[in-house]
Amino acid sequence: MTVPVFIEFEPADDCPCAGCAQQRRALAQAARLRDGGHPAAHGARRALVLAAAAGTVLATPAAGALPPAEAGRPAAGPAGGTGPAPAADAVPGTQGPVSGLYGGAGSGRARPAEEPRATTRAAIIARAKAWIAARVPYNMNGYWSDGYREDCSGFVSMAWGLGSNQWTGSLGRYAVRITKDQLKPGDILLFHNAGNPSAGSHVTVFGGWADASRKKYVAYELAPQHARKRVTPYAYWSNADKYVPYRYRNLVDGGSPDSDFPDGGLSDGGLPDGFAHSFPGLGHFGPGADNAWVTKLGRLLVARGGGAFYHSGPGPRWSSADRNATRAFQRAQGWRGAEADGLPGPDTWAYLTGGKGRNIDGHKATGKAGGFPGVRHFRPGQSGSHITRLGRQLVKKGYGKHYTSGPGPRWSEADRRNVEAFQRAQGWRGADADGHPGPETWRRLFL
């Protein structure tokens, strides 16, 4: 049996979990063996502590393995180098203790009365992205320039803007438990292995759902080898049923933290931020494909004049409408033969997402501003030039009766009611006439 690498840290003195309690008992018993610093006594104390920890670990069944992408990677050693490879389920669980920033003692101790700092979802995601952009390395004994520890719980402490470095056994004190259906960007998924904190304990920041079935989500996390953003099966690659959703208890906003997740759910086909412009690979398209990339493709094609090919949707299941619309777009660029086979490749995707080339109706594209800008721009509290442009086009088309002033850049109920009137004039009802423009509403308005 492979024994995990043991991480020596002082257990939280106020943590009730079995793991910390066991380690406190071991430390207390070891202290009684001291005899004035004699080397033999020191060695006996160290052996007893490690033996007690080992007994706890060996009594815990091993969890499932990490994904193939993590297999075979060396674990960070005590000095930030490489050490012996630990058991797979121990890798994400290695973390440092509760402490102040830069590892300072005292101020970082969690106290029930401690009031966490107020923050917003936007700030949480922005801080997480900053570490990911910097590729902050995984090192449970290291501290980044902002003072936060370079491990999974240090990453969440940083993203939440806590004044200290917490660990998986204490992060829950700064949060309230929620359900899977309540998850929004900036919340966390936490697994604290109370029986043995070193085996499998891990935490990720939830970035939004990555598919319509809510079986995958975007995880912001710090794990070997560096901070990363990754589409992850719910709730994690291993110990999936043990992760608990939490929400920071001093969250002060309900706004959009991430441009592709206006309501913490799915938009733009359910794709996470930054993914929509990167070609996902041919394997995501064609007969049998059923995923958010197909929905994104369809919406891009509708925005470029392909709406006539869809009698319903676009949706996540690949259909002849997707292929015919893709082929029409490719032919509009002058491509023929294998270059216009109805399956998107890197060039087709780049043209669609970048507003390049010609639309399906033969008109030259006018850049990104010429296509549908996205549903996120037309919601309460939003403002921008897209709203002004929409309002002016509604007036031009004869659907401006609800404006008493404007139209202007701030989304209003008058905008919504005018859009609804236009949609009803197209014969749409129900959710298709809710007053919020989608790709087809936009295309028909600007014909």
Side-chain angles (χ1 to χ4, degrees):
M1 174 180 178
T2 303
V3 179
V5 171
F6 294 100
I7 307 304
E8 290 188 80
F9 60 85
E10 178 186 359
D13 55 15
D14 52 0
C15 179
C17 78
C20 280
Q22 170 69 16
Q23 292 184 54
R24 286 196 296 269
R25 286 193 295 270
L27 286 171
Q29 186 174 355
R32 291 195 290 270
L33 297 178
R34 294 193 188 102
D35 63 352
H38 190 280
H42 179 76
R45 173 178 178 269
R46 177 178 176 85
L48 179 60
V49 171
L50 292 181
T56 303
V57 171
L58 293 176
T60 304
L66 283 174
E70 299 299 321
R73 290 184 176 177
T82 58
D89 64 343
V91 174
T94 51
Q95 57 183 317
V98 174
S99 70
L101 299 186
Y102 298 101
S107 62
R109 275 286 172 212
R111 296 184 300 275
E114 184 176 352
E115 181 64 24
R117 302 172 181 178
T119 192
T120 66
R121 292 189 184 280
I124 293 170
I125 296 299
R127 286 191 287 259
K129 285 183 174 181
W131 269 36
I132 290 167
R135 294 174 67 85
V136 172
Y138 177 86
N139 178 6
M140 68 159 192
N141 293 318
Y143 296 85
W144 195 237
S145 58
D146 54 13
Y148 291 100
R149 193 176 54 246
E150 298 168 8
D151 60 19
C152 65
S153 49
F155 179 82
V156 172
S157 299
M158 174 277 303
W160 278 0
L162 302 181
S164 56
N165 284 295
Q166 298 300 312
W167 73 307
T168 55
S170 61
L171 282 170
R173 300 175 186 174
Y174 295 86
V176 293
R177 289 185 64 161
I178 58 175
T179 66
K180 175 181 178 181
D181 292 338
Q182 294 174 318
L183 277 166
K184 291 184 178 181
D187 298 334
I188 65 168
L189 288 162
L190 173 66
F191 167 41
H192 176 59
N193 187 346
N196 183 7
S198 295
S201 297
H202 189 48
V203 61
T204 71
V205 174
F206 179 82
W209 295 110
D211 64 346
S213 64
R214 299 195 172 192
K215 293 181 179 179
K216 298 178 181 178
Y217 70 102
V218 178
Y220 297 86
E221 64 179 340
L222 183 54
Q225 302 291 330
H226 53 75
R228 67 189 182 190
K229 173 182 177 180
R230 186 175 186 180
V231 174
T232 302
Y234 187 84
Y236 203 67
W237 303 95
S238 60
N239 297 305
D241 60 337
K242 299 177 182 177
Y243 280 76
V244 178
Y246 282 92
R247 176 165 298 156
Y248 185 57
R249 64 181 171 90
N250 210 4
L251 199 65
V252 296
D253 78 328
S256 168
D258 208 349
S259 60
D260 285 319
F261 294 108
D263 298 308
L266 299 173
S267 74
D268 285 345
L271 301 177
D273 181 39
F275 282 31
H277 296 290
S278 302
F279 181 60
L282 187 59
H284 290 85
F285 307 101
D290 187 352
N291 57 71
W293 295 103
V294 177
T295 304
K296 177 64 179 177
L297 172 71
R299 291 179 177 175
L300 289 168
L301 289 165
V302 168
R304 299 297 295 273
F309 292 93
Y310 293 91
H311 299 296
S312 62
R317 186 177 296 278
W318 180 266
S319 67
S320 60
D322 296 305
R323 182 154 200 163
N324 292 336
T326 302
R327 181 183 290 116
F329 177 78
Q330 291 168 331
R331 288 180 175 174
Q333 314 315 311
W335 304 338
R336 297 293 183 268
E339 294 180 341
D341 60 0
L343 295 173
D347 290 337
T348 301
W349 194 260
Y351 270 61
L352 284 168
T353 58
K356 302 176 183 179
R358 289 185 168 273
N359 293 333
I360 291 174
D361 58 12
H363 292 91
K364 188 174 181 180
T366 56
K368 292 182 182 179
F372 179 58
V375 295
R376 61 186 178 274
H377 295 287
F378 308 102
R379 289 289 186 269
Q382 297 297 312
S383 62
S385 60
H386 296 301
I387 298 173
T388 303
R389 184 180 174 205
L390 171 75
R392 290 174 178 172
Q393 191 67 8
L394 285 165
V395 171
K396 183 178 178 180
K397 291 278 190 177
Y399 295 92
K401 70 176 184 178
H402 294 290
Y403 290 120
T404 57
S405 63
R410 183 173 294 278
W411 180 259
S412 67
E413 178 62 13
D415 293 305
R416 193 199 67 77
R417 292 179 68 184
N418 285 330
V419 172
E420 181 183 6
F422 176 79
Q423 291 169 330
R424 288 184 174 277
Q426 314 307 305
W428 304 337
R429 296 294 183 267
D432 292 329
D434 61 0
H436 296 286
E440 184 62 13
T441 298
W442 189 266
R443 185 184 73 82
R444 295 195 183 193
L445 264 175
F446 289 92
L447 280 175

